[in-house]
Structures are given as structure tokens and as C-alpha cells.
Amino acid sequence: MIYNVYGDIMSINLEQNIQYIKGVGPAKALLLNKLGIFTVKDLMEYYPRVYEDRTRLKNISEFLNGEQALFIATVSSPVKTQRIRKNLVIYSTFVSDDTGVCKMTWYNQAYIKTKLIEGEKYLFYGKVDIGRSRASIDSSLIYSISDLDKIQGIYPIYSLTAGITQNYLFKLEDEIYNSDILIREIFTDEFRKKYSLAEVNYAMRNVHFPKDFNAINVARNRIIFEELFLFQLALMNIKNSGIGVKKNTIYKEVDLKPFLDLLPFELTNAQKNVVNEIRKDLTSDKVMNRLVQGDVGSGKTMVAALAMYMAVKNGYQASMMAPTTILANQHYDELSKYFEKLGISTAIITSSTTKKNKREIVEKLKNNEIDILIGTHSLIEDDICFNNLGMVITDEQHRFGVKQRMKLSTKGNTVETLVMTATPIPRTLAIILYGDLDLSIIDEMPPGRSPVITAVRDESSEDKINAFLKSQINEGRQIYVVCPLVEENEDLDLNSVNVLFERYKNDVFKDYSVEFLHGKMKNKEKDEIMQRFKENKINILISTTVIEVGISVSNATVMVIENADRFGLAALHQLRGRVGRGKYQSYCILKSSNRSVNARERLKIMEKSNSGFDIAEKDLELRGPGDFFGIRQSGMPEFKLANLLTDTSILKSSQEAAKELVQKDKNFELEENAKIKEALFEKFGEQLNNIAT
Ligand code: ADP
Ligand code: MG
């Protein structure tokens, strides 16, 4: 029931602030806010984390050690109070049924003394401990027998925060679900029948208060389907596609030989295959939408360069977007030297491009005097207009949001897209993130690379490590030292780079050239330092993870990672990929003083494997997908119930349903889809640009 400030009963409304629900009030409301619960609807959608099986009522003689038991018993002795010390008071009593006796104990819960009356029957629920002589239960929950109907069954367990108990949430949910409030059903009966979906109110109620385990499945299935279905509709809409778009002009075949002849190496077979797949896409009648996956160092840049070459030879402009200025510069430096020799003009735009320079580039772009534009996010700014943009490449795509990726494509009429990633994406996620993308995999490394030797070391090896670093530098090699970004505290982050820098520079490595790099430096400064590192004018480069993606300096052979346990394995693998890019044997030293078994185990995986795919899989097992993929970065929402790793079959069926809807009613004009459209806007409102409102 909901009351207004005068205590009048109001009808419940989904958007209602939970503060006004009976039993909440301003203080509890603040606590609930911490759980993400602000409105009645939020509360209804606050689903249990797990369930407890309280279906069976037990006799005391049937108790098993360690189990959670629900039972009815009579209090057979007065409640005894023992003051152990200032902050510890124990309340205990015995309860019994026809079959046996159980000792009950509570800590610091003074109300027990008045709540339990000798000779009365109660309903208890608690974890059984069978000692030598008899059963005992600590901190049992107590209910009145008349609550049996409510309590017996499958009991939902919610995630809590201090000040909010299981019982409290249970009662709140019960209150709301016993009101006459209804959630609007967005699917037609026909649709629900087709995809075997329960009605929404039935489903939500049964996720909280299931009759049996089958009911949980049916209910969850429905809710997860809706979550994934709406998300995929949104994605398809943002991409403005879903189904292969036909193009007007098909590419003509391009002879790649002039380009390939310039390269100091031959393409690997894997690179050749992917280039072939791209060639087939371009010469087909559908627009290319391809994701290229390849481990760090597998040579994705060259594949991208060849794709852009084909576009330019067909009279189009091409653009390649990278997540950092350093990386954009590196691509530009490497590729422009080839393109120049082929008579193709290239330019670069980043946040450090001067206004004057930018004006010039914009002018030339419009006049078609620039064929290839490389850059960072700066590429998607509104004043960058092309004459005839035909191809867009996104490097390290996981660093961009879906919308950023799409925005560059809107600068041309029909744009062929290639997205590149070193982050291996399990099938389930590939389906959802890139539902309509074709997948290419570069599963082979350029020849002559020996795997990076990896070692996990603690502080006791400090001297040995430093001696080793010196020996490498004396042989002419270079070193990266990376320290972790301390979350939500940029100052600490800077500090740790600075502290480390001082230590290296003034102490152990005072005879060497040591420099540092961090995210807060101006782009120009960063670029200068990277340039000097490339020219081997710096022996040791200390940095945060700003160098994580893409950087390629083949003379650097050692990657030292401080507090390595702070990183995800995928990030460690990316960092390790910065070395081992040339002909020299390379090393990765993972420093960690963390003694926990779990941390050790995780780091050991790095010693054993050099394959990003294997590592990703293990990391996924250990940490779950959220951490690994940087969900926010990839433009994925957090789901209330869906689990992308396990709900594969619902993922598939919901995707089919979404595709079918888009095929039939792209602009949501049919009456039957009106409510779906509404829900879509409610959830993804500002991100949707193509559906007319
Ligand atoms: P990534 O896939 O991580 O983006 P890069 O494209 O940066 O990898 O390539 C890593 C290094 O390998 C670069 O220095 C590049 O010039 C070199 N490279 C690319 N392809 C080959 C090849 N087929 N043979 C030898 N070296 C190659
Ligand atoms: Mg790369």
C-alpha cells in the first residue's frame, strides 16, 4: 500500500518514489537507492540473486548437519541471557517437537527475550549444526506459524546493503506484488505463443515468489528474453541495418601487387585469407560489415591498409580510427610511407592537430585531395566532411562505444566497415554485439617470433630483476615498466608513476635514460616521448596503461608490470603484446606481492600461455564477463537478469525474433509493435536515432 504525506492511501503507480511505500520512509529509501531502487518499478525489477529451498517442513530428528532447515517447534525452556563481555550478549533456549530437541542461540538480539514465550509454537528456519549430543542452530529466523503459507516454498535471496535485511526486502516485494499494480505486457498473445513466453506479470511474480523450480525457469526465460530482445532491437536500430544492405556500385578487383611489393615481409597465410574475405565482400553486391579478430601482434594493421588500398583504387576515400593519439600516430607513420610511394595521399587528425592544420585538411578532404584520413575520436567531429567516404576502419574497437563507431560511417553514403579487435570475444557475445557482422580471424603470427618468456616474481627478486634489466639495456634493448591505474583516484595513479620514476631515475637506474608517460599529459608531450622511445633515446619508459593498445616498438624486449595482480589477464596479455614484436627474445616480468592463492593462480596462467584466446577464456571463468569486456566501454548495458555466458539459447531466439521484427516493420509502424517501440524508447531513448518518434 502507498500513502501520501497525509497518510491517505494512494493507488500505486510504477514511477512512484519508493519512499512512500508502507514501511519505507526517507531513511530506508536512501539505503534502497544504494541498491539502485528508486521507484516502485525498480523494486519490482530487483530480482533475487539465488533461491533457498524451503519447500519441506522437517522434524528435528531428520536434521542433517549443515543443512538449512524449516521446522515447527515449541519453546521448551525460558530464554537465558548471558552477558559475555560489553558487546556480546547471548540469548539461548531449547525448542522441541515430538521427535527431538534443538538448542537455539542468538547474539545481541535483545528482542528474542520478549519475542519467544515458553510453551508456544513457532516456525524456525536456520542452519543446523549437529554436535556430539544434539542439534543446535545459531541465529535462526523466527516466524509465527500462521506465516507458514508464505514462508514455506522457494525463498528468494536478494543482494543486500547495510541496513537492509533479507526479511525486509521480502516483505517489501510481497507488499508490492500483493497490490493490484500491473506491468504492461509489450508482446501480443501471438508473439508470446510463437516464442513460448509467459505473460509478464506472471513471470515477474514468479521470479520473486516461485511456486516451484520449474516456475522459476519459465519466469526467468520470459524476462531474459525481453531484456535481450530489446537490447538487440536497439543495436540493430543504432546500426541502421540488421540485414545486409545492397549497394549501388560494386567494387572492381584491385591488383594488390604494387602494395605488397613494397612490404619488407610476406603476408602470413592468415592475413592473406582475411584480405581475400574482404576482397570478396567488396566485390559483392552487399555492403561489407566485418569484424577482424587477431591476437596482439598478428598483423591487423596491414590487413586494414590493404582494405583501404582497395577502396582508394576504386575511387573512394577511406578513414581509420584508433583509440589513442599515440596509436593513430603510429598507424600514420607506418602506413603513410607506403601510401606515399603509391601516389596515395594520407593525413592525420587528432586532438593535437592545430586549428590551421585542421582547416587545411578539411578543405583538402572536401576537394578529394586526401585519400586516407587516419585519426582518433577527432575524426567524428561534425566539421570533418569527406568528399566520397567509402570505407571506415575502427582499430581496437572495444575502446569505442557502439555509437561512436557508427558515427564515422554516417559521413559517407554507402560505407564499407571493418572493425578490428585483439580482444577475443566468445561466440555468445559476438552474436549480441555484432549480430550482423561477419567474422574473420587471424590465427597465425608472423614468422620468426619466439614467444615472450613470462615470469611472476615478488619483491624478493627486485635486485635480480634490476640486474637483468641492465643487461638487456647494455645489449641495446629497451624496457617498458607499467603501473596500474588506481581506480577512482587519478592522483594516486599519477603518484605511483611519479614515485616509481623517482626511484628508477635517482637510484638504481641513475646512469640510464628513464622517462615516464601518463594519461594526463598533453598529447604533444606523449607523442614526443613515444617518438624518442622509438628512436631508442630512452632506455626505460615508465607508464600507466596508456601504452596498452597497439604500440609497436620492436627494439623493446622487456615488459615489467608492477602490482600485476591488479590487472585483468586480458589487459596483461595486451601489455605483454607490446614486446616480442621484433627478432629479439622478449620477456614479461609480472611483479606481485599478493600472496592470495587466487591471485597467484591467475598470474601463473600468464606464465603458461601465450594465446590471447586461451587466456581470455580462463579469465572469463575466474572473473566473469563484466570485468573482462569492460561492459561499459563496449556499449553494453548491464542486464537485470540475463547472463550472456549462460543464456545462449535465449540469446539466439531473441535475436531471431528481433531480426524478424526489423525485417517486417523496420520503423515500428504496425499497431502490434507499438508497445515494443514504447519500451524500446523508455530503455534506450537517447541512443535511438533512426526510429521516427
Ligand atoms: P596488431 O595485430 O597487434 O595490430 P600490428 O599490425 O601492429 O599487429 O603488427 C605487428 C608488427 O608485425 C608490425 O611491426 C608489423 O609491421 C609486423 N607485421 C605485420 N605483418 C607481418 C608479416 N606478415 N610478417 C612479418 N611482420 C609482420
Ligand atoms: Mg593493432
Side-chain angles (χ1 to χ4, degrees):
M1 218 156 287
I2 294 219
Y3 298 85
N4 67 14
V5 282
Y6 307 108
D8 305 328
I9 295 175
M10 295 164 52
S11 67
I12 301 181
N13 140 8
L14 287 170
E15 295 313 319
Q16 198 106 43
N17 188 324
I18 33 141
Q19 183 177 334
Y20 305 113
I21 300 174
K22 184 177 157 194
V24 182
K28 287 278 192 219
L30 281 179
L31 296 175
L32 290 168
N33 291 168
K34 278 197 200 165
L35 297 173
I37 303 171
F38 295 87
T39 64
V40 169
K41 181 145 186 269
D42 293 337
L43 182 64
M44 295 180 79
E45 290 180 346
Y46 195 73
Y47 299 119
R49 190 167 47 84
V50 284
Y51 300 89
E52 266 177 21
D53 187 354
R54 299 187 185 176
T55 43
R56 250 200 84 197
L57 206 54
K58 286 234 165 181
N59 288 323
I60 292 178
S61 65
E62 296 174 309
F63 284 180
L64 299 172
N65 194 23
E67 77 169 342
Q68 300 271 0
L70 181 72
F71 63 104
I72 291 175
T74 309
V75 176
S76 49
S77 71
V79 176
K80 198 165 99 190
T81 308
Q82 283 171 283
R83 184 167 298 272
I84 304 294
R85 51 172 192 269
K86 196 167 160 239
N87 294 320
L88 181 60
V89 184
I90 295 181
Y91 301 90
S92 60
T93 186
F94 290 93
V95 301
S96 56
D97 62 11
D98 294 343
T99 69
V101 179
C102 181
K103 180 173 186 189
M104 310 291 281
T105 310
W106 291 268
Y107 303 89
N108 293 335
Q109 286 174 291
Y111 73 92
I112 296 290
K113 207 153 167 57
T114 44
K115 170 145 194 159
L116 292 183
I117 298 162
E118 192 182 354
E120 295 280 322
K121 272 189 180 157
Y122 300 89
L123 179 62
F124 297 99
Y125 181 76
K127 189 174 176 202
V128 175
D129 181 37
I130 309 254
R132 248 171 307 180
S133 53
R134 62 166 173 257
S136 65
I137 293 179
D138 281 356
S139 310
S140 165
L141 298 175
I142 307 164
Y143 306 95
S144 83
I145 306 181
S146 59
D147 279 344
L148 182 61
D149 266 2
K150 247 187 215 162
I151 304 304
Q152 189 174 20
I154 297 165
Y155 192 81
I157 302 293
Y158 300 93
S159 298
L160 304 173
T161 185
I164 300 287
T165 63
Q166 239 11 287
N167 238 341
Y168 179 74
L169 263 181
F170 183 91
K171 281 198 181 126
L172 273 189
E173 296 288 0
D174 188 54
E175 174 93 23
I176 292 294
Y177 276 96
N178 275 324
S179 72
D180 50 8
I181 195 160
L182 282 181
I183 293 275
R184 136 200 84 172
E185 173 59 83
I186 63 168
F187 298 134
T188 60
D189 291 353
E190 200 185 332
F191 186 96
R192 288 200 288 110
K193 216 177 208 167
K194 181 164 177 189
Y195 296 102
S196 311
L197 301 171
E199 193 272 332
V200 66
N201 288 285
Y202 171 88
M204 287 178 67
R205 172 177 302 273
N206 273 281
V207 167
H208 289 283
F209 307 109
K211 281 196 282 294
D212 50 42
F213 281 97
N214 184 46
I216 298 181
N217 283 338
V218 171
R220 285 176 55 92
N221 189 65
R222 151 64 201 235
I223 291 167
I224 292 169
F225 184 99
E226 184 174 324
E227 279 190 321
L228 297 177
F229 175 74
L230 290 178
F231 175 60
Q232 293 181 90
L233 276 182
L235 264 188
M236 287 175 187
N237 183 254
I238 292 169
K239 290 177 186 172
N240 192 21
S241 60
I243 310 98
V245 179
K246 292 254 183 187
K247 57 193 177 198
N248 299 328
T249 346
I250 292 170
Y251 275 44
K252 61 178 199 305
E253 290 279 354
V254 173
D255 179 14
L256 299 178
K257 195 162 177 301
F259 195 139
L260 296 176
D261 282 348
L262 293 175
L263 298 180
F265 47 74
E266 201 186 329
L267 294 187
T268 62
N269 283 327
Q271 284 171 315
K272 282 181 193 164
N273 287 340
V274 175
V275 170
N276 242 334
E277 284 169 338
I278 293 170
R279 193 179 50 76
K280 272 190 201 142
D281 285 345
L282 297 176
T283 53
S284 83
D285 62 349
K286 294 220 183 81
V287 176
M288 174 169 75
N289 253 313
R290 186 167 287 279
L291 171 70
V292 177
Q293 256 183 35
D295 211 342
V296 260
S298 60
K300 294 185 289 294
T301 316
M302 209 36 75
V303 169
L306 287 161
M308 291 197 285
Y309 182 67
M310 290 188 249
V312 173
K313 283 289 159 191
N314 271 279
Y316 295 101
Q317 291 172 304
S319 187
M320 180 166 175
M321 183 161 69
T324 64
T325 307
I326 296 176
L327 193 51
N329 274 321
Q330 181 182 295
H331 286 333
Y332 178 75
D333 292 344
E334 186 181 352
L335 299 185
S336 60
K337 66 179 189 229
Y338 296 124
F339 285 128
E340 203 176 296
K341 287 182 189 149
L342 295 162
I344 292 170
S345 66
T346 48
I348 176 165
I349 286 217
T350 67
S351 54
S352 36
T353 308
T354 60
K355 271 204 180 126
K356 181 167 166 277
N357 208 336
K358 186 170 167 184
R359 226 177 300 132
E360 222 171 88
I361 290 173
V362 169
E363 199 53 39
K364 282 187 173 171
L365 265 185
K366 274 188 210 147
N367 298 335
N368 219 0
E369 289 166 48
I370 290 173
D371 301 310
I372 291 176
L373 185 62
I374 292 170
T376 56
H377 301 82
S378 302
L379 288 173
I380 58 180
E381 281 166 20
D382 289 332
D383 52 348
I384 307 289
C385 302
F386 292 79
N387 178 293
N388 188 18
L389 180 65
M391 180 179 293
V392 161
I393 297 178
T394 316
D395 191 20
E396 307 290 352
Q397 61 71 35
H398 62 287
R399 289 296 179 110
F400 296 97
V402 179
K403 214 174 170 189
Q404 285 175 320
R405 266 194 277 138
M406 298 311 150
K407 178 137 188 224
L408 188 53
S409 302
T410 61
K411 292 179 186 281
N413 279 332
T414 318
V415 175
E416 317 276 341
T417 1
L418 203 58
V419 296
M420 302 198 299
T421 183
T423 310
I425 300 165
R427 277 227 63 79
T428 40
L429 282 173
I431 291 172
I432 196 165
L433 276 178
Y434 313 107
D436 54 344
L437 257 71
D438 297 310
L439 185 66
S440 288
I441 297 179
I442 309 185
D443 53 3
E444 181 189 2
M445 286 290 176
R449 302 250 181 95
S450 42
V452 177
I453 295 173
T454 303
V456 182
R457 294 288 181 266
D458 63 19
E459 66 278 358
S460 67
S461 307
E462 190 76 26
D463 293 343
K464 268 198 206 151
I465 294 172
N466 290 340
F468 174 71
L469 298 186
K470 282 180 189 168
S471 73
Q472 284 284 308
I473 298 172
N474 293 341
E475 281 175 35
R477 305 287 83 77
Q478 292 164 280
I479 319 275
Y480 293 106
V481 178
V482 172
C483 16
L485 223 136
V486 178
E487 251 178 72
E488 253 134 50
N489 192 337
E490 292 285 303
D491 289 341
L492 247 165
D493 160 35
L494 297 186
N495 203 18
S496 56
V497 172
N498 286 337
V499 166
L500 213 62
F501 172 67
E502 294 298 328
R503 184 145 41 96
Y504 273 70
K505 172 116 191 144
N506 299 328
D507 190 14
V508 202
F509 294 98
K510 58 178 184 297
D511 301 329
Y512 298 85
S513 148
V514 184
E515 297 273 2
F516 69 92
L517 196 68
H518 59 70
K520 287 231 169 130
M521 285 162 101
K522 294 222 167 67
N523 281 331
K524 202 161 153 258
E525 272 179 281
K526 283 195 261 183
D527 294 343
E528 274 167 20
I529 289 177
M530 266 332 283
Q531 195 51 41
R532 294 191 341 104
F533 190 71
K534 275 189 187 165
E535 290 164 6
N536 198 1
K537 289 179 180 151
I538 297 172
N539 303 129
I540 300 181
L541 181 63
I542 301 177
S543 83
T544 54
T545 49
V546 285
I547 59 150
E548 179 184 326
V549 286
I551 302 299
S552 195
V553 178
S554 57
N555 191 49
T557 53
V558 188
M559 167 63 66
V560 180
I561 302 174
E562 301 278 338
N563 299 106
D565 50 282
R566 295 265 191 115
F567 295 91
L569 293 187
L572 290 177
H573 182 66
Q574 281 275 350
L575 285 167
R576 178 169 63 182
R578 300 306 110 225
V579 297
R581 301 177 82 87
K583 53 182 184 276
Y584 309 107
Q585 175 61 54
S586 294
Y587 306 86
C588 176
I589 302 170
L590 303 173
K591 284 193 186 173
S592 167
S593 317
N594 189 329
R595 312 243 178 276
S596 87
V597 177
N598 193 300
R600 294 267 129 194
E601 227 172 72
R602 257 167 28 87
L603 292 178
K604 287 280 174 201
I605 294 173
M606 295 296 297
E607 281 184 349
K608 285 187 210 122
S609 178
N610 259 292
S611 148
F613 284 79
D614 289 352
I615 291 171
E617 222 162 78
K618 299 230 169 70
D619 203 21
L620 210 55
E621 272 169 35
L622 288 168
R623 311 212 315 173
D627 277 346
F628 183 82
F629 292 101
I631 294 256
R632 224 156 280 136
Q633 283 178 350
S634 58
M636 304 252 294
E638 282 176 45
F639 298 106
K640 292 218 159 76
L641 215 50
N643 176 338
L644 293 173
L645 289 180
T646 49
D647 296 321
T648 330
S649 69
I650 308 179
L651 193 57
K652 277 200 194 118
S653 62
S654 64
Q655 183 174 46
E656 268 162 38
K659 269 191 180 160
E660 201 163 302
L661 188 152
V662 170
Q663 243 155 358
K664 191 168 155 197
D665 184 21
K666 189 162 178 291
N667 293 315
F668 294 82
E669 283 154 358
L670 296 179
E671 181 54 33
E672 64 187 49
N673 294 327
K675 288 194 184 116
I676 294 177
K677 177 176 168 181
E678 251 175 66
L680 200 54
F681 265 94
E682 219 168 82
K683 262 200 159 147
F684 299 99
E686 77 276 17
Q687 295 168 48
L688 298 174
N689 34 19
N690 299 314
I691 304 177
T693 28

